[in-house]
Amino acid sequence: MLPGRLLFVMKTVKDMTPILQVGDRTITAEEIVPLLTSYQILPRLLVEIVIDRVIAPIICTPEEIADNYQQFCQQHQISSEAERQAWLQRYHMNPGQLAALATRSLRIEKFKQVLWGNKVESYFLSCKSQLDRVIYSLIRTQDMAIAQELYFRILEQEQSFAELARNYSHGSEARTGGCIGPVELSTCHPTLAKMLSVSQPGQLWTPMHIGEWVAIVRLEKLIPAQLDETMRQRLLNEMFAEWLQKQLNQLSDPIPQLVPPAKLASR
């Protein structure tokens, strides 16, 4: 199922054959690659070519084809033969191409399942600590003396964390009384994430430097990540995206350049 190494090269051509008419402009074969490049379409085209190559062997059942075709038509508001013909004409496609497009997403999902369906659980366990979510309270200042004073006010229950955050914190958390979350630990500053990952709910940390700030942090709640269907799909998507990027990185020219014919012949 895994494809071999892909090779993309572009020949330098002097072909003035018209291949596309857009309004009063005639576009030749020689102009296509420069246009794709200038509009930043070429990298996306390579992605789709790689995907089409690997999903080509994926087979859908007649029922799956019918269901996905119906869903595609509903999504694009194609409810009659006349509308179908108009859609085909608009996108310069034939019925076979439309049928392939209608099942493309399904074939991609099947490809993901074939390659990584039995690896999701181990992948989840390997990154679970970064997927856990937290709700925490934060006060940020750039003055250690002020931070120490605020810390002891909270510790001695002279004032609430929320009140002090609203009055003294320099970040956007001041608007929420210092409360942040739920957020995944992976989105936090590495120092902050490490603190929160070893905290107990209600634990108040003494002021410490986190980046450019002096921060007072208190964990309010830890929400462990669970491997439900939403998470499973997210991880499949991540593994597919990582694999796809590796495939693109292995191309001889990740963003193809025009290659002189002499050089092309020597390959």
Side-chain angles (χ1 to χ4, degrees), residues 23 37 77 79 147 155 173 181 248:
T37 301
Q77 299 180 336
S79 57
L155 191 64
E173 66 279 351
L248 295 173

Side-chain angles (χ1 to χ4, degrees), residues 67-128:
D67 288 345
N68 279 264
Y69 188 84
Q70 182 179 13
Q71 292 173 16
F72 183 90
C73 289
Q74 291 175 347
Q75 180 181 355
H76 293 85
Q77 299 180 336
I78 303 172
S79 57
S80 68
E81 179 58 23
E83 290 175 344
R84 186 178 80 98
Q85 291 298 328
W87 197 94
L88 289 172
Q89 184 176 4
R90 177 183 178 187
Y91 292 101
H92 302 275
M93 298 177 69
N94 59 46
Q97 290 171 320
L98 174 57
L101 179 61
T103 60
R104 193 170 190 267
S105 294
L106 175 60
R107 286 180 287 128
I108 291 173
E109 292 306 316
K110 284 192 169 191
F111 175 75
K112 294 176 187 176
Q113 288 291 341
V114 169
L115 261 68
W116 303 289
N118 62 352
K119 300 178 182 178
V120 174
E121 185 172 352
S122 60
Y123 182 69
F124 171 75
L125 293 175
S126 70
C127 61
K128 180 181 178 302

Side-chain angles (χ1 to χ4, degrees), residues 1 3 8 24 37 43-44 96 110 112 114 123 141 145 154 201 205 217-218 236 238 242 247 249:
M1 183 65 67
F8 284 90
D24 60 356
T37 301
R44 186 63 204 175
K110 284 192 169 191
K112 294 176 187 176
V114 169
Y123 182 69
T141 179
I154 297 169
W205 288 79
V217 179
R218 183 176 69 194
L236 278 172
E238 287 183 4
E242 182 179 353
Q247 297 300 306
N249 290 342

